[in-house]
């Protein structure tokens, strides 16, 4: 479960005063520094795409009830619980004590969880009632293509 | 200026964390067991109603309940402590609160103080909105108590738990007096079981009785710390954010840094120091800890700087007060959350799942090591004699011994790719 990857480390007592020295990004044994050095500005971090980290959870899809919406078995869904659920959005919901991913629709004064499978005869739309609730709004799908 | 403090406290925190990801547990009697499945450390309201006591050994409850334990609609659902999950959910809750409240002090894994003093808005409205946000963003229910002192805010929090809005303010004198009369003396923050017994012998039964007690007499019984509690109950703020004693379940050592720290080793040094201090405090109280949590935080007041905050929790194989394994777990935790290029403003170490050493279950993995105990004693004595830090724990030896015995642990839904929640 847990591994210590690092070799034993000796810690230096806090008592010493440190002299902060600038760290260069490229090693230059001799000659000129890289002209790009002044322009290094970090890297693209996929975490930047997550607007509300404290409210964002990742879940894994099991099954084929949403394939027409481009969601397949094994996909990862990025779920943002801070978003207000609206009709037409894909959501993770709790119904019958189970977590499901479905399209949320408002129809005839009721909220519905609608599957979008290739063969919809295998799945049924369910009206949300007592004991069911929206868990969070699906913001992204992550799938390995290769 | 009148002070305004608030306490936010997650309801049935460990059980609620389980329910967020296992909706089938909702409305069912559910208990969470301590490390190595020893005792009950959290109960759902349904489990409380069945008479399952806090701290009751698991095998005893099962025996006592007989076949009713595992059958029918009321079958008790059992989960092993999943501190990785609870720690991550706690981090989310604290981040949301820190983004919304002016100043916060993380008091335990499921509880924090906020200082609203000088707020130019309706604090009760703000607390209600914050509570709704926390519910939606994390799925957890939080109660918020408000008052002119930390002790009164804690008292208000007890009322908030019974109030359906989940928010209770004792700023109003009439409301406050009613709440004081309604709170048993042993439930006052800072009054231990020991003091409350003595106070009851002298005819003091409620928080209100304490507010009108003779100060000289009270000082004789409880010393200055007790006087401080009385002042606080009378609305005179004596405890500021950050300087309170740790509660029984958790022990926290944290600091805001004078200058921000970005370097990994510099941060590790500070975490190391906090951990050593926390372990010392742990031994002073004759406690052992079951898990270690480390948090780091950027400078939220400098939005022009890169922002990042995180925390993670590592369970210890054997509940211990030995600095060695606690330091190793803390450094491992830091490795998991450290990010370079962030000016860190604050960091800290929390020791969780505390229990008295005497009642800690013996471990299968290794008997208590008297030589280690002796070493810790010697270290503590030297530090007492020559000043804190005279002898410290320098080297971090390599070891992988913090595995646990957890037969009913739920997946670590929010921190491990292999253990994500499944949706159909």
């Amino acid at each position: 479960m847990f591994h210590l990857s690092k070799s034993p480390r000796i810690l230096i007592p806090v008592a010493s005063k440190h002299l902060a020295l600038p760290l260069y990004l490229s090693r230059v044994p001799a000659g000129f520094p890289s002209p790009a050095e002044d322009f290094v500005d970090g890297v693209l971090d996929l975490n930047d795409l997550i607007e509300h980290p404290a409210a964002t959870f990742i879940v894994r899809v099991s099954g084929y009830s949403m394939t027409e919406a481009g969601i397949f078995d094994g996909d990862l869904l990025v779920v943002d619980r801070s978003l207000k659920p609206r009709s037409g959005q894909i959501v993770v919901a709790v119904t019958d004590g189970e977590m499901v991913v479905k399209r949320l629709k408002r129809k005839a004064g009721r909220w519905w969880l609608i599957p979008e499978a290739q063969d919809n005869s295998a799945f049924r739309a369910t009206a949300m009632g007592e004991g069911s609730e929206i868990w969070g709004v699906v913001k992204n799908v992550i799938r390995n293509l290769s | 200026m009148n002070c305004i403090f608030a306490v936010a406290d997650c309801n049935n925190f460990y059980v609620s964390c389980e329910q967020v990801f296992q909706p089938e547990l909702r409305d069912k009697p559910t208990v969470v067991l301590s490390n190595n499945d020893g005792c009950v450390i959290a109960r759902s309201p349904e489990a409380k109603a069945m008479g399952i006591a806090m701290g009751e050994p698991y095998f005893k409850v099962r025996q006592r309940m007989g076949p009713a334990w595992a059958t029918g609609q009321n079958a008790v659902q059992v989960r092993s402590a999943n501190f990785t999950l609870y720690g991550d959910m706690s981090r989310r809750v604290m981040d949301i609160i820190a983004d919304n409240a002016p100043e916060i002090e993380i008091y335990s894994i499921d509880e924090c103080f906020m200082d609203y003093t000088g707020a130019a808005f309706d604090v009760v409205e703000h607390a209600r909105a914050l509570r709704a946000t926390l519910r939606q963003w994390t799925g957890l229910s939080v109660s918020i108590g408000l008052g002119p002192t930390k002790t009164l805010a804690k008292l208000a929090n007890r009322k908030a738990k019974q109030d359906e809005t989940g928010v209770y303010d004792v700023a109003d004198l009439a409301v406050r007096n009613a709440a004081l009369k309604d709170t048993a003396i042993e439930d006052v923050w800072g009054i231990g079981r020991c003091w409350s017994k003595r106070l009851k012998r002298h005819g003091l039964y409620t928080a209100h009785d304490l507010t009108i007690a003779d100060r000289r007499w009270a000082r004789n019984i409880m010393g200055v710390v007790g006087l401080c509690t009385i002042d606080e109950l009378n609305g005179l703020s004596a405890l500021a954010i950050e300087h309170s004693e740790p509660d029984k379940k958790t022990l926290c050592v944290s600091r805001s840094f004078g200058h921000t720290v970005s370097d990994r080793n510099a941060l590790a040094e500070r975490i190391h120091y906090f951990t050593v201090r926390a372990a010392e405090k742990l031994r002073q109280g004759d406690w052992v800890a079951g898990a270690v949590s480390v948090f780091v935080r950027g400078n939220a007041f400098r939005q022009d700087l890169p922002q990042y905050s995180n925390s993670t929790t590592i369970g210890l194989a054997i509940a211990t007060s030995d600095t060695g394994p606690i330091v190793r777990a803390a450094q491992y935790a830091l490795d998991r959350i450290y990010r370079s290029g962030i000016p860190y403003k604050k960091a800290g170490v929390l020791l969780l799942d505390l229990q008295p050493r005497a009642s800690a279950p013996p471990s299968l993995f290794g008997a208590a090591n008297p030589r280690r105990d002796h070493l810790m004693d010697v270290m503590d004595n030297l530090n007492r004699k020559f000043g804190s830090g005279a002898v410290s724990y320098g080297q971090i030896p390599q070891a992988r011994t913090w595995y646990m015995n957890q037969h009913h642990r739920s997946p670590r839904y929010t921190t491990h790719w292999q253990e994500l929640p499944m949706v159909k």
Side-chain angles (χ1 to χ4, degrees), chain B residues 176-357:
Chain B
R176 189 189 309 166
N177 273 328
L180 284 165
K181 284 178 182 159
D182 207 25
T183 303
I185 203 156
E186 64 265 29
D187 293 333
V188 174
W189 186 51
I191 301 288
R193 202 181 302 167
C194 193
W195 280 354
S196 67
K197 261 189 192 157
R198 282 189 71 180
L199 292 166
K200 277 183 187 167
R201 275 207 296 277
H202 288 94
L204 277 69
Y205 292 97
T206 69
H208 185 260
D209 293 342
L210 208 50
T211 61
I212 52 175
D214 179 71
R215 288 178 65 84
R216 279 241 306 275
W217 174 83
R219 194 191 159 125
N220 269 343
I221 292 209
M222 303 185 293
V224 273
V225 183
L227 276 190
C228 165
T229 298
I230 293 179
D231 283 343
E232 286 247 315
L233 287 175
N234 278 314
L236 303 166
S237 179
L239 300 167
I241 281 289
E242 239 169 7
H243 302 296
S244 56
E245 285 294 301
D247 78 343
K248 292 180 291 297
K249 286 180 293 181
T250 340
L251 197 157
C252 177
V253 176
S254 68
R255 300 271 185 289
S256 289
F257 307 140
H259 300 280
T260 56
V261 175
S262 294
D263 178 62
R264 196 212 166 280
N265 286 337
L267 195 61
E269 268 176 34
R270 283 162 172 81
I271 291 292
H272 178 78
Y273 171 74
F274 299 156
T275 317
V276 169
R277 277 295 300 139
E280 267 172 33
K281 282 187 176 182
L282 190 67
R283 290 192 292 275
Q284 273 166 23
D286 216 18
W287 301 95
V288 291
V292 182
S293 186
V294 170
F295 69 88
V296 294
R297 181 169 275 285
N299 191 347
F301 296 99
R302 289 282 308 275
Q303 287 297 329
D304 52 317
L305 298 174
Q307 295 292 318
Y308 172 68
S309 67
N310 206 346
S311 78
T312 192
T313 306
I314 306 294
L316 295 159
I318 306 160
T320 184
S321 63
D322 186 331
T323 303
I326 296 176
V327 161
R328 280 197 296 277
Q331 292 296 332
Y332 174 77
L334 179 64
D335 272 343
R336 288 206 59 171
I337 57 175
Y338 174 77
R339 238 196 235 178
S340 61
I342 305 291
Y344 293 100
K345 181 68 183 164
K346 186 170 185 178
V349 172
L350 268 92
L351 302 182
L352 315 171
D353 193 22
L354 303 196
Q355 42 188 323
R357 173 196 297 281

Side-chain angles (χ1 to χ4, degrees), chain B residues 33 37-40 56-66 69:
Chain B
L33 304 177
D37 292 346
C39 310
V40 173
E56 200 172 352
Y58 177 42
F59 77 94
K60 270 197 184 163
V61 209
R62 280 188 69 160
Q63 248 168 26
R64 191 163 57 75
M65 309 261 307
W69 176 265

Side-chain angles (χ1 to χ4, degrees), chain B residues 109-171:
Chain B
I109 192 167
D110 58 355
E111 206 179 353
C112 71
F113 285 101
M114 295 170 263
D115 188 349
Y116 278 115
T117 304
F121 47 81
D122 183 339
V123 288
V124 173
E125 272 312 305
H126 185 272
R128 288 206 181 110
L130 176 59
R131 185 174 182 273
T133 302
L134 286 164
R135 176 85 184 88
Q136 191 190 334
W137 288 34
T138 66
L140 299 169
S141 286
V142 173
S143 303
I144 302 179
L146 296 130
T149 68
K150 287 172 92 173
T151 308
L152 283 170
K154 285 282 281 185
L155 191 132
N157 190 271
R158 293 185 63 87
K159 302 291 285 180
K161 289 227 183 286
Q162 297 148 23
D163 194 275
E164 59 181 25
T165 67
V167 175
Y168 204 87
D169 183 13
V170 296

Side-chain angles (χ1 to χ4, degrees), chain A residues 20-26 37, chain B residues 263:
Chain A
L21 293 172
L23 244 179
Y24 288 96
L25 290 164
S26 54
E37 198 162 87
Chain B
D263 178 62

